Amino acid sequence: MTKGIFPTDKFRDTRTPFYYYDTELLRRTLKSINDEAARHDGFVVHYAVKANANPKVLNVICQAGLGADCVSGGEIEAALRAGFPASKTVFAGVGKSDWEINLALDKNIFCFNVESIPELEIINELAARKGTTARVAFRINPNIGAHTHANITTGLAENKFGIALEDMDSVIERAATLEHVAFVGLHFHIGSQILDMGDFKALCNRINDLQAHLEHRHIRLEHLNVGGGLGIDYHHPNRVPVPDFKAYFDTYARHLKLREGQRLHFELGRAVVGQMGTLITRTLYVKQGAAKQFAIVDAGMTDLIRPALYQAYHKIENLSSQEPPETYDVVGPICESSDVFAKAVDLNKAHRGDLMAIRSAGAYGEIMASGYNCRQLPAGYITEDF
Ligand code: LLP
């Protein structure tokens, strides 16, 4: 019985909407990641902080020993505050500002994932001023399409991310002329919510070609970083609460030709935190329309923007009713017609006050919340808070 997985009685007096993070599931997920990655030499897993930076969640992830993947100075600060060591922190992003680069240099992070020559030159200049050397990996755009939503595919030539394949050699040559950067690896990321292992295999093949090409030029890489992207099962959060990390890591182990002593870094976000998070919201009104009925809930697109922004599916359950199902459009209170969580879904008959669970919302949920309509940001609670 799926409703049993939530402490619904304890939710009753809590102000809604809020995010509920199931730390038992999070720990189980992290154990699976660690177990499966440990079966392969040189695999190093970072958590992509952008998916969820709730301090309590970060703390659990950091305790499991993962490194951090950050895309802003704020994320670096959040990761370090939660306890992630700087020596396991990488910093990516197409537009790093000077203060962010300086912060990363001061903290002596593991590596910058660099996306252009102008950025490389600024990192070199800022590192020179501090009398230090920045370790850099180049983010290469592998021109591989992932089978996912157009807004979250990143590895195509048309995307703003990374350095074009044909420019890789000249960027490496440029780095060799700069005294305050040390070129140590290559970085890739082809997209998010990827469930077809063939996409990752295609990335492996591309990387093998690039490595062979660089070796001809006597360039050896200390590490490779293949980003994140492993998807979750939004339709079956109960049946598949933990993603198939075995298939994921095995794909890389089988297809990517790692050199002796070379390390392979991963930056997983959604697969780590997606399934353990649920947006809990209260039904305000059940409204009968001409052709349909609406369950109007107190969460809106300001709390979880994924359905409005990406037409993303999130399974919804009525936690308070056992009555026979009826069909509803579940909508929020925001003054936008796109403030819809789901259309024509079957839920146990809804009443004012019923608690609804919007599932698989641990990744890119709370962190993407906004204050539009002068709304309060949703709270985030972990199991131990109840
Ligand atoms: N590494 C890099 C360089 C990335 O750009 C991303 C995600 C990740 C790692 C983590 O990817 P993941 O393992 O979570 O797929 N807001 C969108 C997803 C945006 C993903 C951005 N980059 C959503 O709600 O679906």
Side-chain angles (χ1 to χ4, degrees), residues 124-309:
N124 181 65
E125 191 182 312
L126 296 177
R129 272 190 225 160
K130 291 179 186 292
T132 183
T133 302
R135 293 163 50 82
V136 301
F138 291 124
R139 176 168 181 179
I140 305 299
N141 185 331
N143 198 14
I144 287 171
H147 298 94
T148 183
H149 192 280
N151 288 5
I152 51 178
T153 178
T154 48
L156 282 173
E158 67 193 51
N159 295 129
K160 70 175 175 179
F161 298 102
I163 292 160
L165 279 174
E166 55 273 25
D167 296 336
M168 183 179 75
D169 288 350
S170 56
V171 177
I172 293 174
E173 277 161 26
R174 181 78 185 107
T177 69
L178 300 173
E179 268 179 51
H180 294 274
V181 292
F183 167 58
V184 291
L186 293 181
H187 174 238
F188 306 85
H189 174 76
I190 55 172
S192 202
Q193 184 52 19
I194 297 169
L195 292 166
D196 180 349
M197 294 302 124
D199 291 339
F200 297 121
K201 182 180 163 196
L203 175 61
C204 292
N205 292 337
R206 178 59 49 82
I207 296 174
N208 290 337
D209 292 346
L210 293 178
Q211 277 234 98
H213 165 81
L214 290 176
E215 272 173 357
H216 277 298
R217 307 183 60 221
H218 308 290
I219 296 170
R220 249 191 68 88
L221 303 169
E222 180 189 295
H223 78 259
L224 297 167
N225 180 332
V226 287
L230 178 62
I232 61 170
D233 191 336
Y234 281 96
H235 288 269
H236 306 103
N238 299 317
R239 207 187 315 146
V240 194
V242 179
D244 191 350
F245 293 110
K246 179 175 177 359
Y248 175 70
F249 289 123
D250 283 356
T251 300
Y252 280 100
R254 196 167 308 134
H255 299 288
L256 190 64
K257 295 187 196 120
L258 276 188
R259 304 304 193 253
E260 186 73 25
Q262 200 169 49
R263 288 157 83 82
L264 181 60
H265 292 249
F266 299 85
E267 304 169 340
L268 291 171
R270 188 190 316 266
V272 184
V273 291
Q275 294 293 39
M276 63 96 201
T278 303
L279 178 60
I280 304 290
T281 179
R282 215 176 293 265
T283 308
L284 294 171
Y285 306 103
V286 177
K287 171 168 151 176
Q288 303 297 334
K292 48 165 84 171
Q293 55 181 352
F294 296 94
I296 303 171
V297 297
D298 64 2
M301 61 191 283
T302 50
D303 305 295
L304 177 66
I305 200 172
R306 302 193 69 260
L309 195 57

Side-chain angles (χ1 to χ4, degrees), residues 19 279 300-312 314 338 340-341 364-365 368-370:
Y19 279 89
L279 178 60
M301 61 191 283
T302 50
D303 305 295
L304 177 66
I305 200 172
R306 302 193 69 260
L309 195 57
Y310 315 118
Q311 294 74 52
H314 287 264
S338 52
V340 175
F341 287 115
Y364 309 107
M368 291 180 79
S370 80

